[in-house]
Amino acid sequence: MEVIKTIKEMKEFSSQARGAQKTIAFVPTMGFFHEGHLSLMREGRRRGDLLILSLFVNPTQFGPNEDFENYPRDFIRDRKMAEEMAVDILFAPEVKEMYSPDHQTIVRVEKVTQNLCGKSRPTHFQGVSTIVLMLLEIVKPHVVIFGEKDYQQLITIQQMVKDLHMSVEVVGIPTLREPDGLAMSSRNSYLLPDERKAARALYRSLQRGKQLLQKGERRADQILHEVEGILEAEPLVRIDYVQVCDAHTLQDVNLIQGDVVIALAVYLGETRLIDNLVYQAF
Ligand code: AMP
């Protein structure tokens, strides 16, 4: 595995690879790898002749009072894990390589970013779409792989790629979970033992939502009531939102039909966790 730190070298590598008719699969990450990241890498390995991974903690997707400075980082461990996953290139630029002091351009995807996490993190998704557009331009992949864990992010990138007629396939990968159901996340490392225990309620609440849908419940307010009830029963959990949305437009639904997502965000102490469940209702 080669580690590349400059945009120039990354672009040269990719244009040579494309010239040699190699298919490039790309997995963008912020590092501190867990099994969820590894499953994206496995998918990339399957889909590309070459697998490129980026590791970049992107400052513009963090709000002013969020955890950019404290975001967990362990480059040596991540590099070893990437190597073991047969990654070809680890692209790990410095912040100043990606954002010049004169940087002025932001990419904003409109409707799908306004609900859910967009409400409490109003500049988050423009940070995401801007960095992903930059990375796609530099890495020039044929396929880019994201996790469904960050469902609104996946939809936002799909919308951007569609709107801007970009030549890349966007693939979503199901959420990897701990044995007790908690979605894997680099931020789980922040949780204190009691908070970690209480965090089981997230998956449990979504499973209850799924059970209701399977039984034929189609009133979103009934589902929200029960999902919130399970979360509220945990004194350490503070709800940011729980919503039932159309799985494509991310607008709230009252009467459920078609593809829906139950999405939630909660705080456990200082730590904000998200999770979701996508369901096809007939
Ligand atoms: P991050 O490093 O947190 O920005 O995540 C990098 C990629 O891994 C994103 O596409 C995430 O959606 C994905 N990801 C994060 N957690 C999981 C998980 N538990 N299962 C599957 N994919 C995940």
Side-chain angles (χ1 to χ4, degrees):
M1 186 181 76
E2 191 186 342
V3 177
I4 293 183
K5 295 235 162 215
T6 67
I7 293 168
K8 184 167 176 285
E9 281 173 279
M10 188 66 253
K11 282 187 165 180
E12 277 167 10
F13 178 92
S14 284
S15 58
Q16 267 185 19
R18 277 191 165 249
Q21 308 298 320
K22 303 279 191 205
T23 306
I24 302 175
F26 176 44
V27 177
T29 81
M30 299 205 300
F32 212 69
F33 297 145
H34 50 66
E35 274 296 323
H37 293 111
L38 302 190
S39 74
L40 269 58
M41 294 180 213
R42 271 186 210 103
E43 185 65 21
R45 204 49 290 169
R46 271 197 292 278
R47 285 175 174 264
D49 300 320
L50 291 168
L51 172 57
I52 301 182
L53 184 69
S54 67
L55 196 174
F56 182 68
V57 184
N58 174 36
T60 65
Q61 70 189 68
F62 291 80
N65 299 314
E66 293 183 357
D67 55 345
F68 173 69
E69 296 295 340
N70 297 327
Y71 195 82
R73 292 165 170 90
D74 190 341
F75 183 73
I76 291 171
R77 174 174 167 273
D78 285 349
R79 185 176 59 193
K80 186 159 174 286
M81 288 171 85
E83 194 134 36
E84 286 166 3
M85 294 304 294
V87 168
D88 293 293
I89 301 290
L90 178 59
F91 178 50
E94 301 285 337
V95 171
K96 61 179 186 309
E97 179 76 4
M98 296 301 280
Y99 293 102
S100 77
D102 183 43
H103 186 100
Q104 302 182 32
T105 304
I106 54 173
V107 179
R108 212 173 62 231
V109 179
E110 300 280 357
K111 284 187 242 165
V112 296
T113 64
Q114 277 155 22
N115 202 0
L116 304 171
C117 287
K119 285 189 176 160
S120 41
R121 306 185 76 191
T123 58
H124 171 66
F125 289 110
Q126 68 184 42
V128 169
S129 45
T130 302
I131 193 66
V132 171
L133 184 71
M134 289 160 81
L135 288 168
L136 292 175
E137 176 59 25
I138 294 163
V139 173
K140 289 267 167 40
H142 297 83
V143 50
V144 62
I145 301 166
F146 289 92
E148 288 173 5
K149 148 90 181 357
D150 300 279
Y151 189 75
Q152 193 172 12
Q153 167 173 280
L154 171 63
I155 296 291
T156 301
I157 299 304
Q158 284 174 339
Q159 188 69 43
M160 176 183 81
V161 164
K162 178 169 163 273
D163 289 347
L164 302 182
H165 309 289
M166 297 171 70
S167 302
V168 63
E169 182 188 356
V170 180
V171 172
I173 298 294
T175 303
L176 263 272
R177 297 179 179 281
E178 299 290 352
D180 66 0
L182 178 65
M184 290 182 182
S185 165
S186 306
R187 289 191 171 101
N188 291 350
S189 63
Y190 296 144
L191 298 173
L192 301 172
D194 282 357
E195 294 168 345
R196 174 62 188 81
K197 251 191 207 161
R200 292 177 187 161
L202 276 70
Y203 182 64
R204 229 183 321 122
S205 73
L206 290 172
Q207 288 304 104
R208 178 66 184 141
K210 182 177 175 185
Q211 200 179 41
L212 291 167
L213 284 162
Q214 284 170 335
K215 280 189 187 159
E217 180 60 76
R218 292 293 176 263
R219 293 165 298 179
D221 57 351
Q222 289 300 309
I223 291 172
L224 290 175
H225 178 71
E226 296 228 12
V227 172
E228 283 167 2
I230 290 170
L231 295 171
E232 282 162 0
E234 280 294 343
L236 293 180
V237 170
R238 186 161 55 84
I239 296 176
D240 179 6
Y241 67 76
V242 185
Q243 289 173 245
V244 180
C245 294
D246 179 289
H248 307 289
T249 65
L250 303 186
Q251 303 306 303
D252 289 9
V253 296
N254 296 320
L255 197 62
I256 292 166
Q257 50 183 345
D259 301 340
V260 291
V261 58
I262 307 177
L264 58 83
V266 306
Y267 287 94
L268 282 139
E270 299 282 287
T271 306
R272 186 173 181 279
L273 298 181
I274 57 172
D275 203 349
N276 68 81
L277 177 130
V278 179
Y279 187 85
Q280 291 183 324
F282 297 104

